[in-house]
Amino acid sequence: MSNKKKTNDSLALKVLSNPLGIASVSIITAFILFGILVPIFSPWDPNSPDIYSSLTMPSADHWFGADSAGRDVFTRLAMSTRFSLMTASVAVIVAIVCGVLTGLIAGYFGGWFDNVSSWITSIVMALPGLVVLLASITVIGPSMWYSMAIFGVLMSPAYFRLVYTTVRGVRNELYVDAARVAGLTDTRIIGRHILGVVRAPIIIQTAIVASIAIAIQSGIEFLGLGDRNTPSWGAMLNEAFMKIYDFPILLVWPSVTIALISISLVIFANTVRDELERTGPRRKKVSGGKS
């Protein structure tokens, strides 16, 4: 247990010692704190209009200015950050639970579960994702929480295929057979040996899915299909495009935020993946020639 903890600690230190790693972690952490703390301490209500502050340039009172309704852009951006990150997390969690769990079971055990899960995965992959999302909004309403849960289900085949293919490739390796002979249960083998092989691809896939979820959520809100009473990056972009000629600065804040958080997620995932590949267990090739 101590060796595992030491490995995790060294991995964290190596990621934080990497310039790209520390930069991405800093940006992601800053956005999380921004979304948590600013709405608590801000004196402005993100949904309260003030006609006298309409389209105000950045100032001491409104750091990022005010929109066409006089609402403080800084506070609305913080509320949007909290909402967007939380809804994107819902999509990621649902996709991981559905895709990784079924991929591990199907890849390791095979049998009827493999056939059924592969068949269901093929059906989900054949569905037009955007059409399904738009149709679900008309049925369940403009709740982005339910929409992102459905999006997570639609993205779960990406995890399933990734995990399934990797597990199928290693389940008959010598070290897995040795673990079975040693008396380890299937759960222990999956937890100690199989997950170590698929964790790096899962991290990369998670960053990609999170970035896509943020983009999809913002796009739906931009089209005006979300809850208008909840501040979001997409809703802010929608209003900014309406005022792009009169007050173009409104377009800067949500677009830069979306770009920064998406790029930071991908860079962080790639940094962790690289460190895992350097520090992870290496299997020796048993061959009679080149290694």
Side-chain angles (χ1 to χ4, degrees):
M1 187 63 135
S2 60
N3 292 335
K4 187 175 181 180
K5 183 178 180 181
K6 187 181 294 185
T7 301
N8 292 334
D9 292 341
S10 63
L11 174 62
L13 290 175
K14 288 183 178 181
V15 171
L16 294 177
S17 65
N18 187 311
L20 291 176
I22 189 63
S24 59
V25 169
S26 300
I27 293 174
I28 294 171
T29 303
F31 274 114
I32 293 174
L33 294 177
F34 177 64
I36 294 174
L37 298 178
V38 171
I40 297 176
F41 297 104
S42 176
W44 305 104
D45 185 338
N47 291 319
S48 179
D50 180 9
I51 191 64
Y52 298 104
S53 300
S54 177
L55 298 180
T56 301
M57 289 295 291
S59 62
D61 291 333
H62 301 283
W63 291 359
F64 285 1
D67 61 14
S68 58
R71 298 168 297 191
D72 184 62
V73 173
F74 185 75
T75 305
R76 286 181 63 80
L77 189 66
M79 288 294 296
S80 301
T81 300
R82 175 193 292 183
F83 176 74
S84 296
L85 292 181
M86 291 177 67
T87 51
S89 299
V90 170
V92 169
I93 292 171
V94 171
I96 290 176
V97 170
C98 295
V100 174
L101 185 61
T102 55
L104 283 172
I105 296 174
Y108 185 79
F109 294 103
W112 67 267
F113 188 85
D114 182 358
N115 297 328
V116 173
S117 57
S118 298
W119 178 70
I120 294 175
T121 299
S122 299
I123 292 177
V124 175
M125 291 181 67
L127 295 174
L130 188 57
V131 174
V132 172
L133 279 177
L134 295 177
S136 66
I137 291 174
T138 62
V139 175
I140 63 178
S143 173
M144 199 53 57
W145 300 100
Y146 292 121
S147 297
M148 287 295 99
I150 294 172
F151 179 74
V153 174
L154 295 174
M155 292 301 297
S156 61
Y159 283 99
F160 176 86
R161 293 294 187 187
L162 179 67
V163 173
Y164 175 81
T165 303
T166 306
V167 173
R168 293 277 293 183
V170 302
R171 69 174 182 174
N172 293 322
E173 291 282 349
L174 291 177
Y175 68 93
V176 177
D177 292 335
R180 292 194 189 101
V181 173
L184 269 66
T185 63
D186 291 327
T187 304
R188 294 278 307 273
I189 293 173
I190 292 174
R192 293 185 59 180
H193 300 287
I194 304 299
L195 279 178
V197 178
V198 301
R199 59 179 180 173
I202 288 175
I203 292 173
I204 292 295
Q205 191 66 41
T206 297
I208 295 172
V209 171
S211 301
I212 296 174
I214 289 173
I216 292 295
Q217 183 262 345
S218 299
I220 292 174
E221 296 282 357
F222 176 77
L223 294 175
L225 301 177
D227 186 358
R228 296 183 178 274
N229 295 322
T230 303
S232 66
W233 292 333
M236 294 182 71
L237 282 173
N238 181 288
E239 182 177 5
F241 269 92
M242 291 182 179
K243 300 293 181 181
I244 191 170
Y245 295 111
D246 300 327
F247 208 68
I249 196 173
L250 287 177
L251 187 63
V252 173
W253 313 119
S255 56
V256 169
T257 301
I258 294 172
L260 274 177
I261 193 66
S262 300
I263 293 172
S264 299
L265 284 169
V266 174
I267 291 176
F268 171 73
N270 277 278
T271 304
V272 175
R273 190 273 312 274
D274 293 341
E275 296 301 334
L276 283 173
E277 290 182 348
R278 292 193 188 102
T279 59
R282 297 181 181 179
R283 302 189 304 274
K284 294 181 179 179
K285 293 183 179 179
V286 180
S287 59
K290 298 178 182 178
S291 59

